[in-house]
Amino acid sequence: EGIMRTDKKKSNNDGINTLVIGTVAILLYSTSYLLRKTLTSSSVHLQQELNLSDGTLGAISTSFALGYALCKIPAGIAGDIYPPHYLIAIALSLGSLCNLIVACTTDPTVIAAVWFMNGLAQGLAWPPIGKLVRLFPEQNRGFWWSLLSISQNIGAALTPVALTMIATFAIANNVAYPLPIFPSAEAQPQWRWGLLSSIIVGFASAILGYFALSLDEAAQDSLTHKQTPTKDHKVDSKPMGAVSKALHWISMWKQLPLDLLVVLFQNVLIYVVSIQRNTLRHQRMISVRMTWHHKHIRTLMSYDGKGHLR
């Protein structure tokens, strides 16, 4: 009876730990999408304030995709070596820092470069989150995987709504922006309050993720694929040293040539589609303007000097 009570208590504790880890992971990855969708959600204000062309705005957005794609393979290798709470805290902290820089500058070149860095940072977010799925019981693992997959949709859906509401409120009430802006902002910077709010949420989530996902030694062993010794096979309990980690990491890079070709091909397609889309849009705008001018000219030519129709 005592053993049954102990097993039941352990099962309840495991259920609570699963619930906590799963809930925190969903919150963290939703925050990751918040930090990567802020600029897209504020693109209208950014374009009006800096007088950016559609091509420049598209280049800024594409810079994130390029950085994100280039970081995926190294991020996966890092996820096999380092604990999840380290990587997720680094990803959210760097993403928040990139948003902070964007919120304090009006230079399009700086914004594009920083947004590329944000793509590199956000590439670190998914491997540690996906790695946590191994901690869930096998009978519920598909359920938690589905919730983790939904978290990106939650973040992507709520970000435009939240940032628009915050920016609208700040503009309507003329709320003073507390941070300096370099070189300078020609328009009112109240819309940047949306970026500032995402920065606060990002840093707070990084701290939460670091401490909430600091797993015990048994959980860490399960995530690093450590084997248990058997009668016929003994496993060296000595931890992997720095040299062994480096050699293991280098061996993982043997597959990089093919993977890099795939990544480069994907990004070339992204650039081609983006350029083609902007070109077609520009041609349509020119066609509309030329049509309007022709109609206007024909209308003027149909009147005589006294304002009467000929």
Side-chain angles (χ1 to χ4, degrees):
E1 183 178 357
I3 296 176
M4 292 178 62
R5 289 181 179 177
T6 303
D7 293 340
K8 185 176 181 180
K9 184 177 180 180
K10 181 179 179 181
S11 178
N12 292 335
N13 292 334
D14 292 340
I16 294 174
N17 291 336
T18 300
L19 181 61
V20 171
I21 292 175
T23 303
V24 171
I26 292 171
L27 176 62
L28 295 179
Y29 203 58
S30 298
T31 304
S32 174
Y33 260 75
L34 165 68
L35 295 174
R36 70 182 68 176
K37 294 294 182 181
T38 49
L39 200 59
T40 304
S41 303
S42 306
S43 59
V44 175
H45 299 288
L46 182 68
Q47 189 172 21
Q48 291 177 351
E49 181 179 286
L50 304 183
N51 194 23
L52 300 177
S53 64
D54 293 338
T56 303
L57 192 62
I60 293 175
S61 300
T62 307
S63 65
F64 176 90
L66 179 61
Y68 188 79
L70 292 177
C71 186
K72 294 300 288 183
I73 298 173
I77 296 174
D80 291 333
I81 300 176
Y82 300 103
H85 63 286
Y86 283 150
L87 295 181
I88 191 64
I90 291 173
L92 295 179
S93 298
L94 292 179
S96 301
L97 181 61
C98 290
N99 276 268
L100 178 61
I101 297 174
V102 170
C104 296
T105 184
T106 57
D107 190 339
T109 303
V110 174
I111 294 175
V114 172
W115 216 236
F116 172 80
M117 298 299 295
N118 189 28
L120 294 176
Q122 295 305 315
L124 290 171
W126 177 246
I129 293 295
K131 197 174 182 179
L132 292 174
V133 176
R134 298 187 68 249
L135 294 178
F136 301 142
E138 292 185 3
Q139 62 270 21
N140 298 328
R141 194 166 293 173
F143 169 75
W144 283 107
W145 178 264
S146 301
L147 290 182
L148 288 175
S149 300
I150 293 174
S151 64
Q152 58 186 348
N153 303 110
I154 295 175
L158 293 181
T159 299
V161 177
L163 264 63
T164 301
M165 292 177 62
I166 294 173
T168 302
F169 176 82
I171 293 173
N173 295 274
N174 197 23
V175 180
Y177 190 68
L179 300 177
I181 299 178
F182 302 97
S184 62
E186 298 179 359
Q188 294 182 350
Q190 278 76 16
W191 65 269
R192 296 172 185 265
W193 270 103
L195 293 174
L196 187 59
S197 61
S198 67
I199 295 165
I200 297 173
V201 174
F203 279 120
S205 299
I207 297 173
L208 172 65
Y210 182 82
F211 290 103
L213 299 181
S214 296
L215 310 172
D216 56 20
E217 185 177 356
Q220 293 286 2
D221 291 346
S222 67
L223 290 181
T224 51
H225 305 277
K226 287 188 177 180
Q227 301 175 353
T228 55
T230 60
K231 294 181 179 180
D232 299 330
H233 178 70
K234 293 183 179 181
V235 177
D236 187 8
S237 60
K238 185 177 180 180
M240 184 181 292
V243 176
S244 300
K245 283 185 178 181
L247 293 176
H248 174 72
W249 189 80
I250 292 173
S251 66
M252 296 287 291
W253 282 80
K254 293 181 179 179
Q255 300 179 358
L256 269 186
L258 178 60
D259 294 332
L260 282 179
L261 287 177
V262 173
V263 170
L264 290 176
F265 179 72
Q266 290 174 344
N267 283 280
V268 168
L269 286 180
I270 292 173
Y271 276 110
V272 170
V273 172
S274 177
I275 293 173
Q276 183 68 17
R277 183 178 177 183
N278 289 332
T279 302
L280 292 175
R281 183 176 180 181
H282 183 65
Q283 290 176 351
R284 285 197 299 267
M285 291 177 63
I286 293 176
S287 177
V288 170
R289 290 176 182 176
M290 291 297 293
T291 303
W292 183 86
H293 282 300
H294 286 313
K295 289 182 179 179
H296 187 62
I297 291 173
R298 285 198 299 267
T299 303
L300 291 177
M301 292 178 64
S302 62
Y303 286 89
D304 56 14
K306 298 180 181 180
H308 299 291
L309 286 171
R310 293 177 179 177

